[in-house]
Amino acid sequence: MNDAIVIIPTYNEIENIEAIVKAVFSQSKEFHILVVDDNSPDLTAKKVSQLQQEFSEKLFLLHREEKTGLGTAYIAGFKWCLSKGYKYIFEMDADFSHDPNDLIKLYNACHVDGADVAIGSRYIKGVNVVNWPMSRILLSYFASKYVRFITRMKIEDTTAGFVCYKRAVLEAINLDRIKFVGYAFQIEMKFKAYLKKFQIVEVPVIFTDRKRGKSKMSGGIISEAIFGVIKMKLKSIFNSK
């Protein structure tokens, strides 16, 4: 059995899904893919079903009835992948903001170099972001700095969504107790791994903003991250006493 699977959550990604699936499958190392689709009105899931006829042994689809947040999509994906026995479980966006060619870097960081969590980091070597307006770069960069300050994690890109987890990490984290559903989910997962003293490394990557489709970022997601991080940190302090 293949040891690595890439979870790609989708909502209205019909313009990207075929290209990203084929790009992942074109890598020199074999990766399987699990698409977690939140009942996309643009019929993304139908397109995935069609692609499964071509890639029946390595492309899987988890269909959800409604859009309930990025975090819940990944949690559902994690549980599915763990039940199937995969050793290395990846998070990756559908829109090519994460380069499929970097998957092998994250895989090697865990499989060869022994890390428990490998983060595709935009900020470990300067600011490696393409096609974002300066306002968005500053928001993301200082959000990561803010999270680092509050949580004391030694991670430069705390909000990164391009990640490889060893299965032992996901087994050690109580996935049913993950609270955040938006992009703050990425912070919470790293924080839980940090509290359990797993080895977390950052691998430099270049993040390129999507060319097709629409971003799902919203004000509610940002506020969840800002205020939720403080609550998360305080809860960890009280739980440790």
Side-chain angles (χ1 to χ4, degrees):
M1 176 183 165
N2 183 51
D3 64 348
I5 188 164
V6 181
I7 302 173
I8 302 178
T10 57
Y11 185 76
N12 287 347
E13 293 290 355
I14 193 68
E15 296 173 277
N16 295 303
I17 193 61
E18 181 172 4
I20 196 71
V21 164
K22 290 184 175 179
V24 171
F25 288 153
S26 71
Q27 300 303 307
S28 57
K29 189 249 178 313
E30 183 180 18
F31 295 92
H32 288 181
I33 296 175
L34 172 66
V35 174
V36 182
D37 185 73
D38 282 359
N39 204 16
S40 297
D42 71 354
L43 303 181
T44 299
K46 183 177 180 181
K47 184 62 183 178
V48 175
S49 295
Q50 293 170 353
L51 289 167
Q52 283 183 301
Q53 297 174 27
E54 182 179 354
F55 305 109
S56 60
E57 299 299 318
K58 54 186 179 179
L59 175 60
F60 307 98
L61 174 64
L62 184 58
H63 180 80
R64 305 203 310 158
E65 289 302 318
E66 58 183 344
K67 188 174 186 291
T68 56
L70 181 74
T72 60
Y74 270 127
I75 295 298
F78 289 155
K79 290 179 177 180
W80 188 96
C81 295
L82 289 172
S83 75
K84 303 299 182 183
Y86 290 95
K87 295 180 181 179
Y88 303 95
I89 300 169
F90 292 73
E91 299 179 353
M92 191 176 79
D93 290 347
D95 59 8
F96 283 94
S97 54
H98 304 142
D99 187 346
N101 294 325
D102 290 328
L103 284 167
I104 193 66
K105 296 180 186 177
L106 300 185
Y107 176 80
N108 285 339
C110 291
H111 179 68
V112 178
D113 299 332
D116 298 306
V117 181
I119 299 168
S121 178
R122 298 163 290 185
Y123 306 129
I124 192 66
K125 290 187 176 180
V127 178
N128 292 310
V129 177
V130 177
N131 292 339
W132 263 6
M134 184 55 68
S135 59
R136 182 82 183 270
I137 292 173
L138 291 174
L139 174 64
S140 173
Y141 180 78
F142 285 109
S144 277
K145 291 292 186 184
Y146 164 78
V147 173
R148 181 183 167 104
F149 174 75
I150 297 294
T151 64
R152 302 305 185 194
M153 288 191 291
K154 302 297 189 261
I155 299 173
E156 293 295 337
D157 195 351
T158 55
T159 61
F162 192 19
V163 186
C164 174
Y165 292 99
K166 279 185 176 175
R167 71 174 289 118
V169 178
L170 299 180
E171 288 174 333
I173 293 172
N174 187 339
L175 297 175
D176 291 326
R177 298 190 66 181
I178 297 295
K179 300 298 184 185
F180 296 144
V181 298
Y183 283 83
F185 161 82
Q186 303 292 4
I187 302 167
E188 186 174 9
M189 287 295 296
K190 295 178 185 69
F191 188 57
K192 297 283 176 131
Y194 163 78
L195 289 177
K196 291 184 177 295
K197 302 189 184 307
F198 284 108
Q199 183 186 356
I200 303 172
V201 301
E202 292 184 84
V203 177
V205 300
I206 296 175
F207 178 98
T208 304
D209 194 21
R210 65 164 62 237
K211 295 180 180 179
R212 299 181 182 88
K214 294 182 179 180
S215 171
K216 283 70 176 183
M217 182 67 75
S218 70
I221 288 171
I222 294 170
S223 104
E224 178 192 57
I226 291 172
F227 298 108
V229 167
I230 296 175
K231 184 177 179 181
M232 182 181 72
K233 175 62 176 178
L234 289 174
K235 186 176 180 181
S236 74
I237 292 171
F238 288 120
N239 285 348
S240 67
K241 292 183 179 180

